[in-house]
Amino acid sequence: MAKTALEDQWVVITGASSGFGAAAARLFGAQRARLLLGARRVDRLEVIAREAEGAGSPEALFRRLDVTKTESVNAFAEWARDKAGRVDVLVNNAGGALGLDPVIEGKDEDWETMFQTNALGVLRMCRAILPLMLPHGRGTIINIGSVAGRTAYEGGAAYCAAKAGELQITRALRLELCGSGVRVCAIDPGMAETEFSLVRFKGDAERAAKVYEGLEPLRAEDVAEAIVWTASRPPHVCVDEMVIKCTDQAEVYKVHRRSSGG
Ligand code: NDP
Ligand code: 8X3
């Protein structure tokens, strides 16, 4: 069997318990990469790890990770050092939105969580994992942002700001790491049907389903394919920024919905 570009590479994925992260774990597994998976729901991670091994990963390990806590991130990085000794690819995917309130009705706890996960979590992960990448003179960091970081929308002030912050973190880090061999990439998806809206609307499944009504959104696998493609480019190629939306979404506000049955 021909060797794949990602074979035996150590890949860290945050937020691997559902959505893009879980789909990416399976696809990296199919490329015979070795995995270090993190999220808060460890029972889910265990299932995903076994699926990734079933797909071809020689080793898919997992550990509880809360990217909002420095101690948790540092403990995860220590565990990665112990288990793997190096990291070749870091996918900063953990994150999401909470609520769709206008600023005047915003909740401190929602705002704080969105900045903690989408922006500060990425900084913490990069700080902790870079020492496992830099000695090898190469590596790939892929930050999963959003079209929300590029275009603001009502009710999205904190989420859009956190994702815009993440994009600037990506850009600053690319400048800091120029010459190190480590490339830093942003993948910014539009509407994708995962647990994203269920989390945003705090378990209201009906409201979450309405977000995708009448259109064909991205699937988790579409974004996972973009992640794996980006990570598998030859080392001299950096995919700086990729925006990926479903065909029914031309802009954050411009979506085409078919009437039922149409
Ligand atoms: P999901 O809700 O399906 O997945 C989110 C993942 O993030 C889960 O695995 C969750 O795991 C993890 N996570 C959340 N908080 C933390 C935390 N504090 N520490 C560690 N892990 C955490 O949504 P998606 O797969 O859609 O979202 C993945 C990323 O893509 C997010 O950053 C999101 O903002 C972004 N995005 C999503 C889009 C969409 O329309 N779906 C579009 C554009 C970007 P657990 O709860 O087990 O900790
Ligand atoms: C998720 C996409 O448009 O709901 O980041 O913010 S959007």
Side-chain angles (χ1 to χ4, degrees), residues 152-175:
Y153 56 85
E154 294 106 316
Y159 181 62
C160 295
K163 286 300 196 190
E166 183 177 345
L167 181 57
Q168 296 304 346
I169 291 166
T170 303
R171 290 170 174 167
L173 202 53
R174 188 180 306 123
L175 295 171

Side-chain angles (χ1 to χ4, degrees), residues 213-241:
E213 214 166 70
L215 56 82
E216 189 174 352
L218 293 174
R219 294 168 296 121
E221 290 70 25
D222 300 321
V223 176
E225 278 174 12
I227 295 170
V228 170
W229 181 81
T230 298
S232 59
R233 292 312 84 212
H236 68 286
V237 178
C238 179
V239 179
D240 280 11
E241 297 178 13

Side-chain angles (χ1 to χ4, degrees), residues 41-60:
R41 289 171 293 177
V42 179
D43 51 336
R44 295 268 205 111
L45 288 180
E46 183 167 15
V47 174
I48 307 297
R50 298 295 77 83
E51 287 173 357
E53 286 179 346
S57 172
E59 206 169 357

Side-chain angles (χ1 to χ4, degrees), residues 171-228:
R171 290 170 174 167
L173 202 53
R174 188 180 306 123
L175 295 171
E176 290 178 14
L177 295 175
C178 183
S180 71
V182 175
R183 54 190 176 181
V184 191
C185 315
I187 297 183
D188 290 350
M191 298 169 90
E193 195 163 9
T194 59
E195 292 179 15
F196 175 86
S197 292
L198 195 62
V199 172
R200 166 169 254 175
F201 298 126
K202 302 174 183 175
D204 184 340
E206 207 175 318
R207 193 168 175 203
K210 278 206 179 343
V211 173
Y212 312 107
E213 214 166 70
L215 56 82
E216 189 174 352
L218 293 174
R219 294 168 296 121
E221 290 70 25
D222 300 321
V223 176
E225 278 174 12
I227 295 170
V228 170

Side-chain angles (χ1 to χ4, degrees), residues 15 17-18 20 40-41 65-67 93 145 159 163 189-190 192 194:
S17 60
S18 76
F20 303 160
R40 293 164 302 174
R41 289 171 293 177
L65 169 68
D66 182 345
V67 298
N93 163 75
Y159 181 62
K163 286 300 196 190
T194 59

Side-chain angles (χ1 to χ4, degrees), residues 5 39 73 80 88 142 149 170 179 202 211 253 255:
V73 168
D88 301 291
I142 301 176
T170 303
K202 302 174 183 175
V211 173
Y253 281 105
V255 293

